[in-house]
Amino acid sequence: MTIYINEERQQFHLTNGEISYIFHVMKNGQLGHLYYGKALVDREDFTHFQTYENSVPSTTHTFASDPDFSLETVKQEFPLYGKGDFREPALQIEDEHQIQASDFSFQGYEVEKGKPKLEGLPSSFAHENEAETLTVRLVDKGTGAEIRLFYTIFENMPILTRSHAVTNGEGSPIVIKRLMSFSLDLPDADYELMHLSGAWARERHVKKRKLEHGIQSIASNRGASSHQHNPYLMLKRPEATEHQGEAIGLQFIYSGNFLAQAEVDHFDQTRLFMGIYPGSFQWTLEKGESFQSPEAVLSFSDDGLNGMSQALHEWQRSHLIPSRWIDKERPILINNWEATYFDFNEEKLDAFTSEAGKLGIELFVLDDGWFGKRDDDTSSLGDWFVDKRKLPNGISALSRKVKQKGLQFGLWFEPEMISPKSELIKEHPDWVIGSPGRHQTLGRNQKVLDFSNPEVVDYLHDRMSSLIEEADLDYIKWDMNRNITEPFSQHLQNQGEFYHRYILGVYDLYERLTTRYPNVLFESCAGGGGRFDLGMMYYAPQAWASDDTDAAERLKIQYGTSLGYPLATIGSHVSAVPNHQTLRETPLKFRGDVAYFGTFGYELDPSQLSEEEKSEVKQQIEFFKKIRNLIVQGTFYRLKSPFEGEETAWMVCSTNGTKAVIGWYKENYLPNPAHNQTLKLKGLQPDKPYKIEGFTRLFYGDELMNRGLPLGNEFNGANPHQAERGGDYQSQIFLLKES
């Protein structure tokens, strides 16, 4: 990886053999964007990639002597408000006279090895030999404010990250009204925009539409990245598929309000943005103060969507997820929530964990209802003290009992929330978000604690630390079940800072707990998948993908999630039937076959299983233990999309192509199906023979990738003695190993 700098032409070229990112200083001192895409050989001059001398009717022009130079028509690196470009800006500040037009121009640059940490924010990391960082400094002539643009390019990965820091170096305050973490001007609009959208229980469904003139955006103004729109936006060429063609990805290492958008102008140029949602953000900087934006991640692939996903998965494993969890086996857990809800006691939990241990489960998680007087969802959030009615011997005694059975022990928390019926709200009503004396909306019968107030964070740190030590916890499920309404902090003077300061408080608590207790495995959750983002992943290496545990629904949820996130981050469990979210009944085999492709665990009462089901669960657990290293470390391929056909298929292959596990699923039976059905695989060695469990003959890699893996005879009404499968909810798992 190299950052080439042409001092004479003031040209910057970041490249690593995978991608090139090129920009330069234009004649007005601002930055012009020249190229982003597949790697180019460095050359002296790339300025011909952009035309500056092109007369265009009815445009603005910066210089009286040069009517052809117009910011309205050129591709820019960091577009500003009020200087003749009527597209949306990356930065909008206001000075003491309420002047918002700014004029930042190039002042200098620095290059350093590695990747600096962003203070107070989750961000990527890298050793000195794994990345290089370019910092470009711009200064505003009117206010004296400085902005630093940070670019980090990583070794051997088509990944570049960006963020910005604004500093007020003068005496008068300035107000940041808009600051995007990332801006990219592309020369054309021949793309399809893809994103992951949904709602509670149907998160991260794949949506696709053609770019058109105007603005297309996804956003959240809920105080969290949200169930509705994931902070991940993709552009792909219309002809691009999962396996070939160009694609660009844009992710955000942030868990609060965000905006990601594509704006196509009247010259068919496309401007991409990602940053904090500007409609609920305003930040005042006094003299000497700075503001750091969250980090955005830019990815490129000319090997289709799978190529982009695989690069992102590898990058997240290497440069974002806590290093101590990268290759560590995640325990197979069982959670009591769907088995007992709030109705449990020591005796019931003792029987529950005894049965779980016999099945080979490795971790027991006690979910909601163990604290305060929490018999339903109307009380006790905030009262993080053990309910002695249910657990008369305390949490430490329960933990010891569980561990004596060979299981690890975990607890559910919802630290950001408070119940209107709680002791904490009586003691600290000022800790609740919302203007006092005005109506406050409820969500799940609860309110939200003001994490912008350091006293709140300190209190929760003390309570959670005490419980981690008392219970000798191995795992924490950190939930967040409602979004923020009536955003107001009694602690803040500037309410425009509230949402960002809130999420900084969440990060502060995560940082302190994960640093103090590095061996505790955190799993993030937000009513399921309402905060499934890279900001959370920096602290918690796995996330509960959705409260919807129905295996048929999970095919779409997990498929969509995999576009941007590795399998080992996806919390996926086998639940009881009828399913508690859909009332659907699916075979235990189908449920297990879907859940394998994630963290794997159970959400059911093991005492309610038949002996036959217990035997099957034991086999599932034994099988997952065989493949879990592959799930964590392997390369994932999406083979068939549940959004585009009747079947779903995916596979994980070892990096050297010597072994693989494949999942194939068919939710609904179609009468009189085709015969000789096969599934084309990826990632194998063409000339190597493979042994597949359940088959007597060997298959060569090129056969499996070009002819396909035989799926066996499907029932068609006339072949009952030959049929190997049939009906609804079919699933098959294939395990391949080089022979």
Side-chain angles (χ1 to χ4, degrees):
M1 96 215 114
T2 304
I3 298 176
Y4 294 100
I5 299 168
N6 186 317
E7 296 276 2
E8 181 182 353
R9 299 183 182 277
Q10 294 185 308
Q11 176 180 283
F12 302 87
H13 179 192
L14 294 83
T15 187
N16 57 6
E18 297 282 340
I19 55 170
S20 282
Y21 191 102
I22 309 172
F23 63 95
H24 75 140
V25 181
M26 298 185 293
K27 63 186 293 185
N28 69 335
Q30 292 178 224
L31 302 180
H33 182 77
L34 296 174
Y35 177 83
Y36 171 64
K38 194 172 178 66
L40 303 178
V41 174
D42 186 61
R43 295 183 175 90
E44 182 180 355
D45 186 9
F46 288 107
T47 55
H48 59 281
F49 284 10
Q50 170 140 248
T51 301
Y52 294 106
E53 297 176 356
N54 183 28
S55 298
V56 177
S58 188
T59 60
T60 63
H61 52 97
T62 304
F63 304 102
S65 60
D66 184 2
D68 292 338
F69 183 86
S70 173
L71 293 178
E72 186 178 1
T73 64
V74 300
K75 301 191 300 297
Q76 298 176 60
E77 189 65 18
F78 190 69
L80 303 169
Y81 176 80
K83 297 299 292 181
D85 181 359
F86 298 101
R87 294 166 290 183
E88 294 210 345
L91 175 70
Q92 188 171 352
I93 63 172
E94 182 178 277
D95 68 12
E96 59 178 332
H97 305 295
Q98 297 185 310
I99 296 173
Q100 295 186 19
S102 54
D103 195 5
F104 284 83
S105 59
F106 177 75
Q107 293 296 307
Y109 71 91
E110 294 88 32
V111 176
E112 62 182 304
K113 298 288 186 181
K115 167 68 172 55
K117 181 177 173 60
L118 303 186
E119 189 66 32
L121 285 164
S123 61
S124 61
F125 51 82
H127 297 300
E128 286 191 357
N129 62 339
E130 295 176 327
E132 280 189 302
T133 299
L134 168 69
T135 302
V136 176
R137 291 182 289 109
L138 311 175
V139 174
D140 180 39
K141 299 170 185 175
T143 63
E146 179 186 75
I147 185 159
R148 285 168 292 153
L149 314 182
F150 302 108
Y151 301 78
T152 299
I153 188 166
F154 296 82
E155 184 182 31
N156 299 326
M157 292 182 177
I159 305 288
L160 181 139
T161 67
R162 284 188 59 182
S163 68
H164 305 137
V166 179
T167 300
N168 181 8
E170 300 293 332
S172 301
I174 60 173
V175 178
I176 304 173
K177 303 177 77 70
R178 176 189 182 98
L179 177 60
M180 294 290 104
S181 292
F182 172 88
S183 174
L184 175 65
D185 283 0
L186 297 169
D188 66 85
D190 188 24
Y191 291 99
E192 292 176 333
L193 182 148
M194 294 179 63
H195 64 103
L196 306 177
S197 183
W200 178 83
R202 51 178 172 84
E203 295 91 342
R204 291 175 301 286
H205 283 209
V206 180
K207 303 295 180 181
K208 179 172 63 177
R209 57 186 183 270
K210 189 180 186 303
L211 277 189
E212 299 287 356
H213 283 193
I215 293 174
Q216 299 181 61
S217 67
I218 58 173
S220 173
N221 196 26
R222 297 167 173 264
S225 49
S226 85
H227 298 271
Q228 286 70 25
H229 298 291
N230 191 264
Y232 179 33
L233 182 147
M234 297 155 277
L235 295 184
K236 76 173 191 70
R237 295 299 188 183
E239 68 276 10
T241 66
E242 283 281 16
H243 308 294
Q244 60 186 15
E246 280 191 14
I248 295 171
L250 190 55
Q251 284 185 302
F252 206 21
I253 309 179
Y254 193 62
S255 310
N257 294 344
F258 78 93
L259 171 68
Q261 74 177 38
E263 179 179 4
V264 179
D265 70 10
H266 48 299
F267 297 109
D268 287 328
Q269 297 179 126
T270 300
R271 174 167 292 174
L272 278 180
F273 274 143
M274 181 166 274
I276 295 174
Y277 184 76
S280 54
F281 171 81
Q282 183 171 292
W283 198 276
T284 300
L285 292 179
E286 302 291 343
K287 181 180 179 180
E289 291 183 339
S290 296
F291 180 84
Q292 172 65 57
S293 78
E295 190 173 14
V297 184
L298 180 65
S299 54
F300 173 82
S301 171
D302 60 354
D303 291 320
L305 295 172
N306 265 301
M308 186 167 67
S309 296
Q310 289 161 6
L312 285 170
H313 296 178
E314 182 185 358
W315 178 83
Q316 289 163 28
R317 287 192 292 252
S318 303
H319 300 291
L320 186 79
I321 295 171
S323 301
R324 59 189 175 277
W325 297 110
I326 296 301
D327 296 322
K328 190 170 183 178
E329 290 185 351
R330 313 283 173 80
I332 299 168
L333 69 83
I334 190 165
N335 186 302
N336 73 303
W337 177 242
E338 290 191 9
T340 68
Y341 292 102
F342 297 102
D343 183 20
F344 60 82
N345 54 35
E346 283 185 354
E347 184 179 358
K348 185 179 285 189
L349 295 179
D350 186 48
F352 186 98
T353 52
S354 293
E355 288 291 333
K358 294 174 186 175
L359 295 173
I361 288 167
E362 299 164 322
L363 165 65
F364 166 65
V365 179
L366 179 59
D367 210 283
D368 197 353
W370 57 268
F371 53 91
K373 296 179 180 177
R374 180 99 163 150
D375 297 322
D376 55 37
D377 67 2
T378 64
S379 77
S380 301
L381 286 172
D383 297 343
W384 299 107
F385 298 89
V386 177
D387 185 353
K388 291 295 184 74
R389 298 172 307 155
K390 298 178 182 178
L391 304 173
N393 295 304
I395 202 73
S396 59
L398 175 64
S399 175
R400 284 195 300 271
K401 255 189 170 181
V402 168
K403 294 192 175 195
Q404 285 167 3
K405 297 171 184 175
L407 281 76
Q408 298 178 47
F409 182 58
L411 274 182
W412 176 94
F413 288 88
E414 194 171 6
E416 297 163 68
M417 301 297 154
I418 189 168
S419 297
K421 288 165 50 179
S422 64
E423 296 303 313
L424 186 62
I425 206 169
K426 294 176 188 176
E427 297 172 16
H428 295 285
D430 57 313
W431 284 6
V432 179
I433 289 172
S435 180
R438 293 194 178 189
H439 173 265
Q440 294 180 5
T441 305
L442 295 179
R444 204 195 180 215
N445 298 306
Q446 61 199 46
K447 299 182 180 183
V448 187
L449 284 169
D450 181 7
F451 266 57
S452 72
N453 183 347
E455 290 183 11
V456 174
V457 177
D458 289 344
Y459 172 80
L460 288 162
H461 173 262
D462 291 345
R463 286 305 313 134
M464 293 180 73
S465 294
S466 176
L467 285 158
I468 290 170
E469 294 174 14
E470 182 182 350
D472 189 21
L473 289 183
D474 301 292
Y475 164 102
I476 286 176
K477 181 180 179 182
W478 181 320
D479 209 344
M480 191 280 290
N481 275 299
R482 67 151 291 184
N483 295 136
I484 293 173
T485 55
E486 294 86 36
F488 183 89
S489 167
Q490 296 183 53
H491 171 72
L492 293 178
Q493 294 295 316
N494 181 359
Q495 297 302 320
E497 298 178 1
F498 166 73
Y499 274 116
H500 185 61
R501 288 199 183 276
Y502 175 91
I503 204 65
L504 290 180
V506 174
Y507 291 150
D508 181 36
L509 184 54
Y510 258 116
E511 180 74 28
R512 290 158 72 178
L513 291 174
T514 55
T515 300
R516 186 172 179 179
Y517 305 104
N519 295 321
V520 175
L521 173 61
F522 282 77
E523 179 166 315
S524 67
C525 178
R531 207 160 61 180
F532 200 112
D533 57 65
L534 296 184
M536 288 289 105
M537 200 180 296
Y538 176 83
Y539 302 104
Q542 58 193 56
W544 187 224
S546 177
D547 278 348
D548 191 340
T549 57
D550 177 65
E553 293 300 318
R554 275 302 191 100
L555 288 173
K556 289 183 176 178
I557 293 169
Q558 292 174 209
Y559 188 98
T561 302
S562 76
L563 277 161
Y565 306 93
L567 294 190
T569 67
I570 300 173
S572 55
H573 296 169
V574 177
S575 62
V577 292
N579 180 265
H580 291 203
Q581 291 77 47
T582 64
L583 299 182
R584 184 182 279 123
E585 297 202 35
T586 55
L588 181 56
K589 180 182 186 304
F590 186 82
R591 285 173 271 157
D593 288 353
V594 174
Y596 290 143
F597 292 85
T599 59
F600 195 69
Y602 291 85
E603 301 266 338
L604 46 75
D605 185 347
S607 68
Q608 299 301 306
L609 298 173
S610 67
E611 291 304 314
E612 183 179 353
E613 289 172 325
K614 288 179 181 177
S615 176
E616 188 170 352
V617 166
K618 287 180 182 178
Q619 292 174 27
Q620 288 179 342
I621 291 170
E622 289 171 3
F623 178 76
F624 184 73
K625 288 177 180 177
K626 287 167 57 177
I627 67 167
R628 63 178 161 188
N629 278 336
L630 191 57
I631 295 294
V632 172
Q633 300 172 15
T635 302
F636 182 69
Y637 293 87
R638 290 177 301 276
L639 304 177
K640 286 181 174 288
S641 170
F643 299 99
E644 297 178 356
E646 301 296 331
E647 301 174 16
T648 303
W650 47 46
M651 68 179 288
V652 184
C653 186
S654 62
T655 53
N656 59 6
T658 59
K659 57 184 178 179
V661 58
I662 298 100
W664 173 89
Y665 314 88
K666 187 173 184 179
E667 187 178 342
N668 298 310
Y669 175 75
L670 298 177
N672 198 10
H675 57 281
N676 292 329
Q677 297 176 38
T678 62
L679 175 66
K680 292 183 179 180
L681 306 185
K682 295 289 180 180
L684 303 178
Q685 299 182 67
D687 58 344
K688 298 293 185 182
Y690 288 88
K691 171 70 177 174
I692 304 176
E693 287 191 7
F695 289 83
T696 56
R697 57 167 292 230
L698 296 178
F699 295 83
Y700 279 84
D702 58 354
E703 295 178 51
L704 294 169
M705 292 189 291
N706 298 308
R707 171 65 176 91
L709 170 68
L711 293 175
N713 292 325
E714 185 173 16
F715 177 75
N716 63 14
N719 64 350
H721 301 299
Q722 300 166 313
E724 300 166 89
R725 56 186 175 86
D728 293 342
Y729 307 118
Q730 299 178 41
S731 64
Q732 296 191 76
I733 299 294
F734 301 95
L735 199 56
L736 282 68
K737 189 173 183 180
E738 184 185 321
S739 177

